């Protein structure tokens, strides 16, 4: 089976370009011969179907008596006024459309003017002023975080044996465990 599939692919890949080139040349030859009026058949497909393409050139219109007469100056002026009226109507419509587009986009065409930045909001103290800082036993109820991140917020000394709370803050292990046991949260 693998040999047949490989052989069929080889035949297709080598044969298709030849077949396609022959078909394209036949279509080109039929079209060229038709345009040079050597045959009545436009394409090989129409030849196989037995159809012929016929060109029809209409007869030029016969000159009428009105067109042969020279138009008077009044009629020519009237025709010119009609043409100018139609042309000016469409010209006005296009001009109004252009002006509408131009003035709608005027703010985008202007150079950018830098805007003055608004002042920053006033800095607030991160903790409420009336913090209950101690419990009944004198232990801190709310832990104020120091600015230095290497300091333990509970004992205010450099951290020893750091432990991470569930809130994402680092404390000394010996400070964190008793605090959680006493208050039930970190």
């Amino acid at each position: 089976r693998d040999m047949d599939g490989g052989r069929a692919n080889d035949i297709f890949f080598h044969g298709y370009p030849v077949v396609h080139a022959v078909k394209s040349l036949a279509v080109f030859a039929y079209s060229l011969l038709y345009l040079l009026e050597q045959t009545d058949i436009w394409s090989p497909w129409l030849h196989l179907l037995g159809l012929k393409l016929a060109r029809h050139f209409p007869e030029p219109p016969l000159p009428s008596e009105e067109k042969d007469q020279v138009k008077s100056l009044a009629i020519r002026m009237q025709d010119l006024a009609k043409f100018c009226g139609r042309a000016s109507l469409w010209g006005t419509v296009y001009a109004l459309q252009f002006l509408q587009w131009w003035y709608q986009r005027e703010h985008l065409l202007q150079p950018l003017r830098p805007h003055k930045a608004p002042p920053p909001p006033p800095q607030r103290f991160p903790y409420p002023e009336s913090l209950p800082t101690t419990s009944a036993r004198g232990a801190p109820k709310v832990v104020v975080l120091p600015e230095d991140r290497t300091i333990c917020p509970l004992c205010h000394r450099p951290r020893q044996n750091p432990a991470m709370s569930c809130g994402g803050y680092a404390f000394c292990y010996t400070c964190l465990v008793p605090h959680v046991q006493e208050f039930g949260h970190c």
Side-chain angles (χ1 to χ4, degrees):
R1 245 182 201 201
D2 293 337
M3 296 301 277
D4 292 337
R7 182 178 235 179
N9 283 341
D10 286 344
I11 291 172
F12 176 76
F13 285 122
H14 293 299
Y16 178 75
V18 174
V19 171
H20 182 69
V22 168
K23 181 206 61 116
S24 297
L25 285 173
V27 169
F28 174 73
Y30 270 89
S31 301
L32 183 65
L33 290 173
Y34 178 77
L35 290 174
L36 296 175
E37 297 180 358
Q38 300 297 316
T39 182
D40 292 335
I41 302 168
W42 171 254
S43 75
W45 314 122
L46 293 177
H47 191 159
L48 290 174
L49 294 173
L51 298 175
K52 292 184 180 180
L53 212 57
R55 288 193 258 179
H56 175 67
F57 297 108
E59 296 294 326
L62 298 173
S64 64
E65 294 178 10
E66 290 180 8
K67 292 184 180 178
D68 289 341
Q69 296 176 354
V70 177
K71 290 184 178 180
S72 68
L73 180 62
I75 294 174
R76 287 191 308 200
M77 293 301 284
Q78 185 181 14
D79 290 344
L80 180 65
K82 286 179 188 177
F83 173 76
C84 289
R86 277 184 267 150
S88 64
L89 174 68
W90 286 111
T92 304
V93 168
Y94 287 128
L96 288 174
Q97 287 290 324
F98 175 76
L99 289 173
Q100 180 185 9
W101 171 81
W102 182 265
Y103 284 112
Q104 280 181 349
R105 312 229 347 132
E106 184 176 11
H107 68 282
L108 297 175
L109 300 173
Q110 299 299 323
L112 294 176
R113 291 182 289 244
H115 296 292
K116 191 174 183 181
Q123 198 130 50
R124 295 188 322 177
F125 186 66
Y127 305 105
E129 287 154 20
S130 60
L131 275 179
T133 55
T134 57
S135 65
R137 294 188 208 165
K141 225 179 195 183
V142 176
V143 177
V144 179
L145 298 174
E147 289 184 21
D148 186 7
R149 293 181 183 256
T150 61
I151 303 289
C152 174
L154 293 172
C155 66
H156 300 290
R157 287 179 278 172
R159 284 193 297 264
Q160 299 292 323
N161 192 12
M164 187 75 69
S165 71
C166 60
Y169 297 103
F171 300 93
C172 297
Y173 182 79
T174 55
C175 298
L176 181 61
V177 171
H179 181 79
V180 170
Q181 287 174 347
E182 182 178 346
F183 295 104
H185 59 82
C186 54

